[in-house]
Each structure stands twice: as structure tokens, then as C-alpha cells.
Amino acid sequence: MPQTRDATNDVIENSGHGLSLKYADAFNHDTDKTEDVFAIQITKQTGLNDLVTFYASEGNGGRGGDFSIRDAYLEKFSDPDDRAVFNYINDDNGRLLTSKYTDQFGDVPLIRLAEMYLIRAESNLRAGTAVGNTPLDDINIIRSRANADELTAVTVDDILLERQLELGMEGFLIHDIRRTKQSIDISSDGDGSELIPYDADRLVFPIPLKEMDANKKITQNPGYGS
């Protein structure tokens, strides 16, 4: 944790990056913005932007929302919180979709400065330190940008929840669940009645058959046969 803390603190303090003034400003732009620590530029030569394909409505260049937002996720937010309403209804099928991916040629943000604050907060809290800032202040910087009420105290669980709120639909939750040895709730209403443990075979993709055929020494991942 100290190495992680120090690395993220260095990015925050010395990289020249800053948080976008509004949460929505961190998404759907064609060139790197202040919050983009690392992003991939999508152009006409790049081909499809699969994040748009999977997450966006037909009108925004997608397939209508392979992934839609459930009420159980929205219930995690306090009121107010700009992140809770950063979505739209797909008129074609009524699904609630994230507004993070609506520009076919928008940058794909892989590392945002907001995540650096979240990592620094968690690392400091677990280490019992306050390098760069206190964990509480780091979390409240993120919450304030989203116009959410500031917290008066913070725990590791609070920070992990804040990661869900800030980084939703950006591909981080599965890794957080695995590293903290939690379970995935796949029940339709989020009541915890159907859980997948963090180490379940189904949470690891199978090795493609063409790779297995090309190298007979490869052993298929557990749960997918030989």
C-alpha cells in the first residue's frame, strides 16, 4: 500500500492533471482533457468504439444498451449526487443507460485523476497515514465535485462504495470485488439472494480455442473443460 499511495500522490501532485469542473465534463470529448491521465483516442481509422456499442442507445451509435442501470445501483447514491442522474432512457426499449459513452469518436478514459484520489485515500487509510491529504478530504473532494454531501468520517467500506459511485460502468468493480474477496450480487433486485463468490470459475474468461490449438501446452482455465 505505501508504494501505491506514493505513486498516486505523485500523479496528483506532479502530473499537471486536474479534476474536471463537472463530473459530466470527464466524458465524451475527442481529445485529452485535464482529468485524463491515460486515454485512448478513437478515430475513423480506429474502427468501432465498443464501449459505445455495448453501453449506448441506437441513436448514440450503440446496440441499445447491452448493459443497463438497475435500481439497486441507483439506490447506492445519496441525494443529491450528479453521478446518480448522469444517465438517460433509451426511447427504443426503455432501458436506463449511462451517459458516459455517447460519442462514437470520444476518448476512452482508462485512468482518470479521480481514481488517483480514490486510490490514495484507500492506501492512506489502510496504512494509517495521510500522505498528500487525509482519506476523508480526498473522498470529499470527489463527492464535492459531484455536488454530493460531504462525509464526516470515512471507512474502507465507504471508499469502496465511493469507487462504485464514481467509476461505475468503467470496468473497475470486478477487480475491486476480487481483490477484497467479496461476492457479486446477481439477483434481479439486488437483495443478495443470488451471489457469485469472488473466486468462482465463471469470473475468469475461457482461453480461446484458437489459442489452445496453437499451443498444446496451454491448460484451459478451470470450469471450461480441457
Side-chain angles (χ1 to χ4, degrees):
M1 279 298 176
Q3 290 180 326
T4 302
R5 174 202 62 202
D6 295 345
T8 52
N9 182 63
D10 184 43
V11 173
I12 294 169
E13 299 295 333
N14 302 314
S15 68
H17 292 284
L19 292 177
S20 300
L21 294 180
K22 298 179 180 179
Y23 185 67
D25 293 343
F27 306 96
N28 298 307
H29 40 72
D30 296 338
T31 58
D32 283 3
K33 299 298 183 182
T34 184
E35 190 162 334
D36 291 320
V37 177
F38 178 56
I40 296 175
Q41 279 69 50
I42 303 297
T43 68
K44 292 181 179 179
Q45 286 73 41
T46 305
L48 293 177
N49 180 343
D50 281 340
L51 287 171
V52 170
T53 300
F54 299 143
Y55 284 96
S57 66
E58 293 91 333
N60 285 320
R63 295 199 303 216
D66 292 23
F67 300 92
S68 57
I69 299 173
R70 299 192 300 173
D71 288 342
Y73 176 65
L74 295 178
E75 290 168 358
K76 296 177 183 290
F77 292 89
S78 60
D79 185 20
D81 193 319
D82 291 348
R83 299 168 299 188
V85 294
F86 192 54
N87 48 55
Y88 64 101
I89 295 176
N90 181 5
D91 292 334
D92 294 312
N93 57 24
R95 290 183 176 180
L96 186 65
L97 307 180
T98 179
S99 294
K100 291 185 176 182
Y101 311 112
T102 58
D103 182 355
Q104 176 66 40
F105 299 109
D107 281 7
V108 175
L110 299 180
I111 302 176
R112 295 193 287 118
L113 193 68
E115 186 194 1
M116 300 297 99
Y117 280 96
L118 291 164
I119 294 174
R120 185 173 71 175
E122 183 180 348
S123 300
N124 267 321
L125 189 58
R126 290 186 184 275
T129 57
V131 173
N133 207 350
T134 67
L136 178 61
D137 284 347
D138 270 347
I139 293 304
N140 281 334
I141 287 172
I142 297 300
R143 291 183 62 82
S144 294
R145 195 265 295 265
N147 291 313
D149 292 338
E150 294 188 357
L151 303 180
T152 57
V154 67
T155 65
V156 170
D157 285 342
D158 292 329
I159 295 173
L160 292 175
L161 173 59
E162 201 64 34
R163 287 181 61 86
Q164 291 189 47
L165 307 182
E166 177 69 25
L167 305 174
M169 276 65 70
E170 295 181 53
F172 293 96
L173 182 55
I174 181 63
H175 303 294
D176 285 348
I177 287 173
R178 290 179 67 87
R179 71 180 174 87
T180 57
K181 299 182 179 182
Q182 300 180 64
S183 298
I184 298 176
D185 183 358
I186 60 171
S187 54
S188 60
D189 57 1
D191 65 356
S193 60
E194 190 173 1
L195 300 175
I196 301 176
Y198 76 95
D199 57 353
D201 291 343
R202 65 193 291 190
L203 296 184
V204 178
F205 284 121
I207 299 173
L209 180 60
K210 66 178 181 179
E211 300 295 337
M212 299 286 294
D213 290 341
N215 186 347
K216 298 303 182 181
K217 293 185 178 182
I218 293 178
T219 300
Q220 182 57 272
N221 288 327
Y224 297 102
S226 59

